Amino acid sequence: MKNILITGGAGFIGSHVVRLFVNKYPHYNIFNLDALTYAGNLANLADIENAPNYTFLKADICDFDAICRIFSQYSIDGVIHLAAESHVDRSIKDPFAFARTNVLGTLSLLQAARLSWGEDVAYKRFYHISTDEVYGALELDSPQPPAPYGREFFREDTAYAPHSPYSASKASSDHFVRAFHDTYGLPIVISNCSNNYGPYQFPEKLIPLFINNICTGKPLPVYGRGENVRDWLYVVDHARAIDRIFHRGTTGSTYNIGGCNEWKNIDLVKLLIRTVDRLLGRPQGSSDHLITYVSDRAGHDLRYAIDSSKLQRELGWQPSLQFEEGLEITVKWYLENTAWLQNITSGDYERYYHDMYANR
Ligand code: NAD
Ligand code: DAU
């Protein structure tokens, strides 16, 4: 493979994947296809935008004709598909946007790849990036510390049981990807990852939103009782896993990716407060009063936890950072990149945010 199309490369995870591939594989041509929705931001890639092996293509994955032209014009032979509507709260407000991009957009890419590649798929690959949310929710009774095996964890053979419009749309796209493998022999691979955190995450997601709010003294809206559990992974470790799976994963397979790092939301929020206050030189406890319990997210999944032993065993991947270390790097990054944050927390986003939280 030589000409790699990465979709959603101007978003959070996509920008880390583009950066890793552009820097690590100078012999590849990396095409970053992105519609630049509210979540896409070319400033995320300012450091590599002039690299000789990097090209940005502004396009909507739902525009089938445009996607077919891109496959033909650039002789695309590998796809890493991250473009998506990705925020659960938005999916509750506007499920159609999620069906459009996540289901129809994925279908459009699959069909374009199939038509472009025909029978000649020996050195082709369509890699679909998905989420652990397709598996539904787990109970809270996990052993501590979490063991890497057992029925309490999402495994690759766990039945799909999505609850939100977002996870339903991602589950649907996963099924289409597998159907194209089973029906047409498209050489696909899928990974399902747990919650990512790190630099360049759009500040509607828990960690960047709360860092920003702690800095600016705004309320921290904790949904329900803050009892929900997520398995957090540093975004660069996700990008490293994507690199391994893209190059060495078995065609037709699924790989789960996770941090083996479960945190109850309220404990994570308290750790965030301690970290931000310490780094800003504030007395400990000075931001505790910002914690504000608000009404719960509809259909809020109780617990996610990934068993990533297949990926570790078959491809030798391991998370590289301890969570406290990754969180410290992340908080410092947001504190040092206030211009990036201010740029996207003004204007439309500010209005959206007020609208979203006004009634909670
Ligand atoms: P993001 O919302 O930060 O970025 C999504 C990107 O896709 C943006 O650049 C946006 O402009 C682009 N995009 C959206 N609609 C498009 C369209 N119709 N055509 C072309 N581009 C479009 O998302 P993220 O958090 O980086 O997630 C990336 C992928 O990883 C998604 O598929 C998501 O489901 C999956 N994922 C995310 C996480 C997480 O914790 N964030 C975890 C597991 C899996
Ligand atoms: O598990 C992978 C998924 O992780 C990805 O597929 C999604 O794209 C990504 O957005 C993320 O989904 P979550 O819904 O888990 O992430 P979010 O950051 O929105 O919320 C994390 C937890 O924090 C969740 O239990 C809801 C809670 N929360 C979130 C926000 C934004 C709050 O309590 N208050 C908030 O304001």
Side-chain angles (χ1 to χ4, degrees):
M1 285 177 291
K2 191 165 179 292
N3 299 319
I4 315 294
L5 183 72
I6 301 180
T7 72
F12 166 49
I13 302 171
S15 63
H16 288 276
V17 175
V18 167
R19 178 175 297 101
L20 187 150
F21 272 66
V22 164
N23 289 331
K24 186 169 172 186
Y25 300 109
H27 54 292
Y28 286 170
N29 298 311
I30 303 299
F31 298 94
N32 170 16
L33 185 159
D34 200 297
L36 298 183
T37 68
Y38 79 95
N41 184 356
L42 289 177
N44 296 357
L45 290 164
D47 54 326
I48 56 103
E49 67 186 358
N50 295 319
N53 62 339
Y54 171 72
T55 306
F56 174 67
L57 305 169
K58 186 169 188 304
D60 185 332
I61 55 169
C62 301
D63 184 346
F64 178 64
D65 292 339
I67 301 299
C68 288
R69 276 197 302 278
I70 286 168
F71 267 81
S72 152
Q73 186 176 348
Y74 299 107
S75 303
I76 299 300
D77 38 29
V79 176
I80 306 177
H81 173 37
L82 298 107
E85 289 292 339
S86 69
H87 190 41
V88 173
D89 292 329
R90 285 182 189 254
S91 82
I92 295 167
K93 290 219 149 192
D94 181 11
F96 278 106
F98 285 69
R100 179 184 179 275
T101 291
N102 299 358
V103 184
L104 296 179
T106 300
L107 183 54
S108 151
L109 281 168
L110 287 164
Q111 183 77 338
R114 178 171 88 86
L115 295 180
S116 166
W117 296 344
E119 304 290 305
D120 179 22
V121 294
Y123 295 100
K124 307 282 195 276
R125 172 148 281 190
F126 189 108
Y127 180 5
H128 176 59
I129 307 300
S130 192
T131 171
D132 61 356
E133 299 200 12
V134 299
Y135 297 122
L138 296 163
E139 295 301 320
L140 282 181
D141 61 349
S142 90
Q144 290 294 335
Y149 302 104
R151 65 181 173 75
E152 305 94 342
F153 293 82
F154 295 138
R155 297 160 50 98
E156 284 81 0
D157 57 4
T158 301
Y160 276 30
H163 294 130
S164 72
Y166 164 67
S167 53
S169 70
K170 291 296 289 188
S172 173
S173 65
D174 292 10
H175 290 316
F176 269 108
V177 174
R178 273 193 208 98
F180 268 64
H181 174 259
D182 297 349
T183 308
Y184 307 114
L186 197 77
I188 65 101
V189 64
I190 300 177
S191 59
N192 297 81
C193 190
S194 63
N195 286 61
N196 284 215
Y197 71 97
Y200 301 110
Q201 186 167 32
F202 195 86
E204 63 187 350
K205 307 283 168 64
L206 180 78
I207 288 183
L209 173 69
F210 279 33
I211 293 172
N212 192 30
N213 285 11
I214 297 164
C215 290
T216 52
K218 289 189 191 145
L220 307 175
V222 175
Y223 298 165
R225 292 155 50 86
E227 298 278 315
N228 304 65
V229 171
R230 296 292 182 265
D231 173 1
W232 293 95
L233 178 68
Y234 190 60
V235 62
V236 176
D237 280 331
H238 188 189
R240 288 174 48 249
I242 289 172
D243 179 14
R244 286 223 179 165
I245 294 166
F246 182 69
H247 288 101
R248 290 166 40 198
T250 305
T251 299
S253 264
T254 291
Y255 294 86
N256 280 352
I257 311 171
C260 209
N261 174 44
E262 292 181 54
W263 282 79
K264 203 184 270 192
N265 287 342
I266 189 62
D267 294 336
L268 172 54
V269 170
K270 288 177 179 166
L271 174 63
L272 272 174
I273 290 175
R274 282 199 301 278
T275 309
V276 175
D277 279 348
R278 173 170 52 76
L279 290 171
L280 287 178
R282 294 174 179 164
Q284 284 302 307
S286 46
S287 298
D288 290 354
H289 69 283
L290 297 175
I291 293 177
T292 308
Y293 292 95
V294 297
S295 59
D296 209 352
R297 173 185 276 174
H300 197 175
D301 287 331
L302 187 56
R303 171 178 167 247
Y304 302 145
I306 278 279
D307 173 353
S308 62
S309 55
K310 176 181 173 185
L311 176 61
Q312 301 195 15
R313 195 176 54 248
E314 290 187 10
L315 303 184
W317 173 88
Q318 294 270 2
S320 68
L321 284 185
Q322 292 294 315
F323 184 56
E324 282 79 355
E325 198 185 342
L327 202 69
E328 180 100 2
I329 294 171
T330 302
V331 172
K332 280 185 178 154
W333 187 87
Y334 285 96
L335 297 184
E336 285 162 9
N337 289 274
T338 45
W340 181 90
L341 206 53
Q342 273 161 14
N343 201 25
I344 48 180
T345 50
S346 57
D348 283 352
Y349 174 69
E350 184 74 5
R351 282 188 286 281
Y352 157 80
Y353 183 77
H354 277 292
D355 185 39
M356 178 74 92
Y357 292 101
N359 301 322
R360 278 191 178 273

